[in-house]
Amino acid sequence: MTTVYEQRTVALAPPEPRRSPAGPVLAILWGGAAAVVALWWQDTGSVVGTAGWLTGAGRIAGLLCGYACAVLVGLMARVPLLERRIGSDRVARWHAMGGRYTICLLVAHVVLILFGYAAQDGSSVVHETLTVVLDYPEMLKATAGTVILLAVGITSARAVRRRVSHEFWYYVHLLTYAAVFLAFGHQLALGSDFTGNGAAQAAWYALYLGVAALVVWFRVLAPVRLNLRHRLRVESVHREAPGVYSVVMRGRRLHEMGAQPGQFFRWRFLTDSMRWTSTPYSLSAPPRQDLLRITIKALGDHSAAVPMLRPGTRVWAEGPYGSLTADRSTAHKSLLIAGGVGITPLRALFETLPGEVTLLYRARTAEDLALGGELEAIARWRGAKVLYALNGPHGQRPSFTAESLRTAVPDLAGHDVYLCGPHGFAQDLYEALRAAGVPDRRIHHESFEL
């Protein structure tokens, strides 16, 4: 495989580190929530009695839930500013946390409104529920949207998600778009905060239409344009280690994609068994004008089918995504720590990061060191170091502590650290690095385990 990527270059100087826009983005999102609360406050007079308190609380929960739905869809629109500058994994964690808040607000809105209306009309909650669903405008559609959102929330719970296939979870999750569409009408038709308030209605339409435009552009039109323009096909498949395979893909003008070492794409191989699943895999070598390469470990049905790919198979790609790039670099020295197949993005960075670079590669056995020959060749060529951490003769795992890391890498606190591997491995390494004096701003990590 090294012959395919034998042309290597290293940046002459570190790029200017770019500040993450995470803080301003969060400030904007919380500012929007504050504006929603202000809308409720402005339109709410004195609150009297149990019914008034219940319906008032239900109204504000509903407003915030409607706002949160738009935010959740926007976070998953794969906007480059978020995906490449903040990081796909961080944005996905925001989405997951926001999803939990949204479901709680949804349940609170439904329960509080129904109990408030029942108290106001002096009827039972069951009777009030039937009246609201069957007689109020837009409520049948809103009820269907509510059921869908609850189903999405249930399938996203960790205990459930571990028991269902990725494909089932993914397609249920796609129904979020239908749920938001179905629930939108009742917000304006029944929301007293919008009745007679043209400015509030215009702002709500602008919010939802703006999010819809982001989804259409970045999740539909941009991928279509990318694939029509670059026309990727499988060039070859190579075994790198037990259960680990590299896929080389050829296309047109691939340098125009703007992909950087350390980034990933979402890949869909257009075979009968693999076309329905889109999976993120990192580039395992710097992108070339006509070639891209990924390296995959067989961990599930989709990845296990990779060795069966044939040359000429069409590939659908979306990206590039991710912020584990040289743009994060702040120091002249870098330490790359890879666990298992986490070597893939770090192999590309090992070749291209400027300055002094050390790679620490954790694997069970020497046979499991995927891309080992390439790493050794790169180390010799650029005068870098490669350190291996393998299990002992009786299977004992090496221990990563602050002391062992400082011994292996002098002046560790002065390094940027790029970290990629399983969640538990990355968490242990993060704690050891912090104990060794590495500032949090210099520990760069990206994970697909969400």
Side-chain angles (χ1 to χ4, degrees):
M1 258 323 292
T2 55
T3 56
V4 176
Y5 289 94
E6 61 189 8
Q7 181 182 359
R8 305 184 178 101
T9 59
V10 175
L12 296 177
E16 287 293 327
R18 295 191 297 175
R19 186 175 181 179
S20 170
V25 169
L26 284 176
I28 292 171
L29 296 181
W30 282 111
V36 169
V37 174
L39 173 64
W40 171 85
W41 182 269
Q42 180 184 11
D43 192 59
T44 302
S46 59
V47 180
V48 180
T50 301
W53 282 102
L54 288 172
T55 55
R59 280 173 49 213
I60 191 171
L63 283 170
L64 288 172
C65 181
Y67 172 73
C69 285
V71 170
L72 290 180
V73 174
L75 287 175
M76 287 292 98
R78 297 178 186 167
V79 179
L81 173 68
L82 305 180
E83 298 283 331
R84 303 176 192 175
R85 296 287 305 282
I86 296 176
S88 298
D89 62 334
R90 189 175 183 184
V91 172
R93 285 194 291 272
W94 288 357
H95 174 83
M97 181 182 297
R100 291 189 284 271
Y101 290 144
T102 302
I103 295 299
C104 291
L105 287 168
L106 175 63
V107 172
H109 169 64
V110 171
V111 172
L112 290 168
I113 284 291
L114 291 176
F115 273 86
Y117 283 2
Q120 180 177 295
D121 296 340
S123 63
S124 69
V125 174
V126 173
H127 178 270
E128 198 65 39
T129 300
L130 293 174
T131 300
V132 168
V133 172
L134 298 177
D135 297 342
Y136 282 38
E138 299 286 341
M139 275 308 303
L140 281 175
K141 291 193 296 184
T143 301
T146 298
V147 171
I148 292 173
L149 283 177
L150 291 175
V152 172
I154 291 171
T155 56
S156 297
R158 287 185 182 275
V160 177
R161 189 170 175 182
R162 285 196 294 265
R163 290 171 171 79
V164 300
S165 67
H166 173 77
E167 290 79 8
F168 178 81
W169 171 86
Y170 174 76
Y171 288 114
V172 170
H173 225 65
L174 283 181
L175 293 175
T176 301
Y177 297 124
V180 172
F181 173 77
L182 289 169
F184 179 77
H186 96 286
Q187 299 177 53
L188 298 180
L190 299 175
S192 58
D193 302 282
F194 297 108
T195 304
N197 189 337
Q201 292 183 22
W204 214 246
Y205 272 114
L207 172 65
Y208 273 79
L209 290 175
V211 168
L214 292 177
V215 170
V216 171
W217 182 261
F218 291 113
R219 296 205 64 160
V220 179
L221 299 181
V224 168
R225 175 180 179 272
L226 181 148
N227 287 280
L228 289 178
R229 186 174 190 180
H230 300 292
R231 299 185 180 275
L232 285 163
R233 291 184 180 271
V234 173
E235 174 82 0
S236 57
V237 179
H238 302 264
R239 182 181 182 275
E240 303 287 1
V244 179
Y245 292 83
S246 285
V247 181
V248 179
M249 289 159 284
R250 185 175 295 276
R252 304 186 304 184
R253 304 190 303 272
L254 300 185
H255 62 287
E256 296 176 5
M257 285 181 166
Q260 300 181 55
Q263 290 188 310
F264 68 94
F265 288 76
R266 299 179 187 274
W267 305 94
R268 196 184 298 269
F269 298 101
L270 302 185
T271 67
D272 291 341
S273 62
M274 302 178 74
R275 68 174 63 246
W276 304 112
T277 301
S278 175
T279 307
Y281 296 120
S282 298
L283 298 175
S284 62
R288 281 182 31 173
Q289 184 169 347
D290 58 344
L291 295 175
L292 297 176
R293 189 185 73 178
I294 57 178
T295 301
I296 302 167
K297 184 175 179 63
L299 298 172
D301 293 341
H302 184 270
S303 53
V306 165
M308 301 299 164
L309 289 173
R310 295 291 176 259
T313 300
R314 292 173 57 196
V315 182
W316 183 273
E318 298 176 35
Y321 303 123
S323 62
L324 196 69
T325 66
D327 290 335
R328 287 194 179 187
S329 178
T330 62
H332 182 67
K333 300 179 180 179
S334 298
L335 169 64
L336 313 181
I337 307 179
V341 78
I343 189 61
T344 53
L346 300 191
R347 181 263 179 248
L349 285 170
F350 188 49
E351 180 175 331
T352 56
L353 268 178
E356 299 179 22
V357 182
T358 300
L359 172 65
L360 174 59
Y361 189 178
R362 163 77 180 104
R364 288 180 298 177
T365 67
E367 189 181 24
D368 294 317
L369 294 171
L371 309 175
E374 294 183 21
L375 299 173
E376 293 289 349
I378 294 170
R380 290 192 299 270
W381 163 67
R382 65 173 299 173
K385 291 193 297 183
V386 181
L387 307 174
Y388 299 108
L390 306 176
N391 288 356
H394 301 292
Q396 61 269 35
R397 298 165 61 90
S399 175
F400 292 103
T401 64
E403 292 73 19
S404 64
L405 290 173
R406 280 195 294 256
T407 300
V409 184
D411 188 28
L412 177 60
H415 285 64
D416 275 301
V417 181
Y418 290 80
L419 178 60
C420 190
H423 177 74
F425 168 85
Q427 185 62 40
D428 291 343
L429 260 297
Y430 175 82
E431 294 173 359
L433 290 166
R434 294 292 289 122
V438 181
D440 182 74
R441 69 180 184 278
R442 286 187 174 174
I443 302 176
H444 315 303
H445 172 240
E446 201 161 50
S447 170
F448 298 132
E449 298 186 30
L450 307 172

